[in-house]
Amino acid sequence: MEKLENSSCRTSDSAGYDRVWAQIDMDAVLFNMESMRANIREDVKIVAVLKTNGYGHGAVAIMKEMEKLPYVWGYAAATFEEAKELRENGAKKPILLLGYVFPYCYRELARLEIRPSCFREDMLKELSAAAKEEGKAIRIHIALDTGMGRIGIRPDDEGLSFVRKAMNTPGLIVEGMFTHFAKADEEDHGPTHAQIALYTGFRDRIREELGLEIPLCHCSNSAGIIEFPEANMNLVRAGITLYGLWPSSEVSRTIVPLRPVMTLYSRIVYIKEAGPGVSVSYGGTYTTSAEKTRIATIPVGYGDGYPRSLSGKGYVLICGKKALILGRVCMDQMMVDVTDIPDAREGSLVTLIGKDAGESITMEQLGDLSGRFNYELACNINRRVPRIVCGGTLG
Ligand SMILES: *Cc1c(COP(=O)(O)O)cnc(C)c1O
């Protein structure tokens, strides 16, 4: 743990990708995992949610670290292809799919031992057929809708008859049942308590009326892990907190300490001086007025997932100071004002997300400024941006 308190990551480690790179601090990932573990019961295991390439942080590298943690049960992905990528890169632990998956992949699911979420009767039939063809049972997790209004059976008589059918479908093993909280990140805990009660009530009916003790019950997402210890069952599903980001501004910042995992860097590629009346970027939404403005071009844009909505209102950090974005963010470049940063030169390090001396820009702040959600912002940092992993135990 001591090692985890101080990351060994250095900003200069761009591995030659100076245009833009996301530094992934694996020590921070391990710190966040330990921090969550300290807040759940000892017998509760964690599902590392690695959908959307690990919320933009790089799923495979994180999975490799998680493989060694005994308290990590396995992984969750959204699509079959995400799950398959994890398997093909060495994931030995169970992988759960959180949404509906289409029948084209059912046989491969069986082969790769990937657990689908089930809630449609036609799924039971087709999964059963795939299990038979592969000669291999498929473990399923039943999705229960207790308040999301999304996928999932309802906790009622019809739901119960679905569970009975699932139990009696050849080739399928009911390994788990989960629900998803809609409002666990809000100040009012009432709706989440109601969801927990619906879940446990239905689980009890399954036990009493069908005689089935579901082996793996799980409800909590990140906000649940922080705020609802009573929702710890057999597993909890950690998404955003794994990456050191907060589910919302309404959850406690102290119960589970977190460290952001991603820092986004670039370098200044050009600096020019302009007199008054010079317009900058598409549409000329910004025009210089000062006698002298120093304009730096940064080779990052919305083509990398940096939000265009930060045009004219976002900023980056250079030499420990804020540099405002001038005019529109382009697909691959943007311009910032370095008039008051005399040390800024071509080649200077630019921090788009992260800390530089006393200043910092968090994913949350950038989300607020751009009118986006921190989850969305992280997911949108796309594959054009290389991920450089530092820290961790795999070196
Ligand atoms: C995405 C997702 C999670 C993770 O949510 P976080 O808020 O990121 O922790 C958990 N469970 C389900 C079903 C999900 O879809």
Side-chain angles (χ1 to χ4, degrees):
M1 195 71 185
E2 196 178 311
K3 178 178 178 288
L4 299 179
E5 297 292 344
N6 288 303
S7 172
S8 53
C9 293
R10 297 282 170 272
T11 52
S12 53
D13 298 337
S14 70
Y17 297 105
D18 288 298
R19 185 184 73 83
V20 57
W21 70 102
Q23 182 175 279
I24 303 303
D25 182 350
M26 208 56 86
D27 290 339
V29 169
L30 296 172
F31 175 87
N32 299 334
M33 289 300 291
E34 288 293 336
S35 193
M36 285 187 273
R37 179 168 83 137
N39 198 51
I40 56 177
R41 272 194 343 262
E42 220 168 298
D43 57 324
V44 178
K45 292 201 169 180
I46 300 179
V47 181
V49 180
L50 299 177
K51 58 194 181 186
T52 320
N53 194 28
Y55 293 39
H57 290 66
V60 168
I62 294 173
M63 172 276 290
K64 288 183 176 169
E65 286 286 346
M66 302 291 106
E67 277 290 293
K68 293 175 302 179
L69 300 180
Y71 58 87
V72 172
W73 173 79
Y75 317 104
T79 70
F80 169 69
E81 285 69 23
E82 289 175 340
K84 186 174 167 180
E85 186 189 22
L86 293 173
R87 267 289 175 265
E88 287 177 343
N89 284 282
K92 301 270 187 303
K93 296 188 184 215
I95 306 175
L96 170 66
L97 291 172
L98 298 170
Y100 176 74
V101 277
F102 290 82
Y104 72 90
C105 62
Y106 289 177
R107 288 188 65 171
E108 239 183 319
L109 275 185
R111 228 176 297 144
L112 298 174
E113 297 180 11
I114 295 166
R115 280 79 163 154
S117 302
C118 282
F119 42 90
R120 266 169 58 169
E121 294 205 357
D122 58 343
M123 287 186 90
L124 298 178
K125 216 172 107 210
E126 303 201 39
L127 282 167
S128 176
K132 192 170 168 211
E133 279 158 3
E134 292 294 327
K136 209 164 173 175
I138 298 177
R139 290 167 200 276
I140 63 167
H141 286 228
I142 290 171
L144 183 68
D145 177 13
T146 59
M148 264 298 276
R150 198 166 70 175
I151 56 161
I153 58 167
R154 291 206 168 91
D156 56 14
D157 290 343
E158 201 182 315
L160 201 70
S161 93
F162 179 87
V163 178
R164 183 185 291 112
K165 272 196 193 109
M167 287 168 62
N168 296 327
T169 302
L172 300 190
I173 299 169
V174 179
E175 178 183 56
M177 180 171 79
F178 71 102
T179 197
H180 192 47
F181 294 145
K183 301 179 176 174
D185 61 343
E186 294 181 5
E187 217 176 286
D188 179 3
H189 284 191
T192 306
H193 285 135
Q195 283 195 265
I196 297 169
L198 282 173
Y199 182 94
T200 53
F202 191 64
R203 182 199 58 193
D204 295 347
R205 273 193 77 184
I206 293 170
R207 182 188 294 140
E208 283 150 24
E209 296 177 41
L210 306 180
L212 175 68
E213 189 69 59
I214 294 182
L216 298 175
C217 295
H218 46 118
C219 297
S220 277
N221 51 2
S222 294
I225 292 169
I226 299 172
E227 297 282 353
F228 296 89
E230 63 274 36
N232 287 177
M233 292 179 192
N234 306 107
L235 303 175
V236 292
R237 303 183 304 273
I240 201 82
T241 40
L242 169 57
Y243 309 102
L245 304 173
W246 301 99
S248 78
S249 58
E250 291 175 38
V251 300
S252 160
R253 289 282 189 277
T254 52
I255 299 172
V256 175
L258 298 173
R259 279 190 8 213
V261 170
M262 185 193 290
T263 311
L264 191 64
Y265 293 116
S266 178
R267 290 194 188 274
I268 296 177
V269 292
Y270 200 61
I271 294 188
K272 61 176 48 158
E273 285 190 2
V278 173
S279 83
V280 179
S281 196
Y282 291 116
T285 56
Y286 174 81
T287 304
T288 58
S289 53
E291 207 44 51
K292 193 186 88 178
T293 305
R294 285 179 87 218
I295 304 169
T297 301
I298 318 287
V300 179
Y302 63 80
D304 300 296
Y306 192 81
R308 185 174 180 271
S309 51
L310 288 171
S311 296
K313 42 181 160 158
Y315 59 94
V316 301
L317 304 177
I318 298 169
C319 305
K321 291 193 176 134
K322 287 183 184 175
L324 293 174
I325 297 172
L326 300 177
R328 290 194 185 141
V329 172
C330 314
M331 189 185 292
D332 323 297
Q333 310 182 58
M334 62 184 176
M335 280 63 79
V336 301
D337 186 351
V338 292
T339 312
D340 298 328
I341 312 178
D343 291 341
R345 329 174 245 105
E346 288 163 5
S348 291
L349 185 75
V350 177
T351 304
L352 298 129
I353 298 171
K355 280 197 189 115
D356 183 4
E359 290 284 353
S360 79
I361 306 177
T362 63
M363 200 80 80
E364 285 81 7
Q365 285 167 332
L366 221 51
D368 289 344
L369 266 176
S370 63
R372 279 211 181 147
F373 184 38
N374 58 347
Y375 286 61
E376 187 192 355
L377 205 69
C379 288
N380 279 321
I381 304 296
N382 61 40
R383 293 204 185 238
R384 200 167 87 168
V385 179
R387 271 75 181 166
I388 309 294
V389 175
C390 59
T393 62
L394 298 170

